[in-house]
Amino acid sequence: MARQNPFDKRRQRVRTSIRQRGGDRPRLSVHRSGRHIYVQVINDADGRTVASASTLEKEARAKTGATVAAAQEVGRKIAERAKAAGVTRVVFDRGGFLFHGRVKALADAAREGGLEF
């Protein structure tokens, strides 16, 4: 078996813990890169994406890239889109990223937008 790097191990540990504790709630999955931040609400029971948002979208792309302000805007968008799809309670999947900076800003904005986690 190939050896996993520490980031992959942490991501797997976080995701396994979420699946055990989350029950039937959808998962708010976050991925960030050096240039952008992406978020999806995923229904694991059906295996489909309910809502998504990122800094790659046209209106967000014109402003900024991977900043805390951009993450807050993406958090507000995902909350709005998830509520429109009928989802209000989710489980936060930080995807192995530390809960700090852009990830924390996105989570706080999503909470302010009406998502519960």
Side-chain angles (χ1 to χ4, degrees), residues 28 39 41 51-63 70-84 106 109-110 113 115:
L28 182 70
V39 63
V41 176
S52 66
S54 74
T55 54
L56 281 175
E57 296 168 358
K58 263 189 177 178
E59 59 272 2
R61 201 169 197 175
K63 297 177 188 171
Q72 289 172 339
E73 184 63 32
V74 170
R76 283 190 281 276
K77 282 183 191 172
I78 194 66
E80 174 186 313
R81 292 175 185 172
K83 287 195 310 186
L106 186 143
L115 288 181

Side-chain angles (χ1 to χ4, degrees), residues 4-14:
Q4 287 184 326
N5 65 26
F7 180 78
D8 289 336
K9 287 171 76 172
R10 182 171 57 218
R11 179 188 311 151
Q12 193 63 39
R13 186 175 61 239
V14 167

Side-chain angles (χ1 to χ4, degrees), residues 3-115:
R3 187 175 163 161
Q4 287 184 326
N5 65 26
F7 180 78
D8 289 336
K9 287 171 76 172
R10 182 171 57 218
R11 179 188 311 151
Q12 193 63 39
R13 186 175 61 239
V14 167
R15 196 148 296 153
T16 302
S17 172
I18 285 171
R19 287 189 179 132
Q20 289 174 349
R21 295 183 183 138
D24 59 341
R25 289 164 46 178
R27 178 166 51 105
L28 182 70
S29 178
V30 175
H31 178 76
R32 68 173 173 81
S33 68
R35 294 179 144 191
H36 297 284
I37 190 157
Y38 315 85
V39 63
Q40 302 176 29
V41 176
I42 303 167
N43 185 346
D44 286 320
D46 298 338
R48 67 182 194 90
T49 300
V50 178
S52 66
S54 74
T55 54
L56 281 175
E57 296 168 358
K58 263 189 177 178
E59 59 272 2
R61 201 169 197 175
K63 297 177 188 171
T64 58
T67 62
V68 171
Q72 289 172 339
E73 184 63 32
V74 170
R76 283 190 281 276
K77 282 183 191 172
I78 194 66
E80 174 186 313
R81 292 175 185 172
K83 287 195 310 186
V87 176
T88 55
R89 293 176 49 104
V90 295
V91 177
F92 189 72
D93 178 6
R94 58 188 175 86
F97 299 102
L98 298 179
F99 192 77
H100 178 75
R102 291 181 283 158
V103 175
K104 184 176 188 300
L106 186 143
D108 291 342
R111 280 190 188 112
E112 289 172 9
L115 288 181

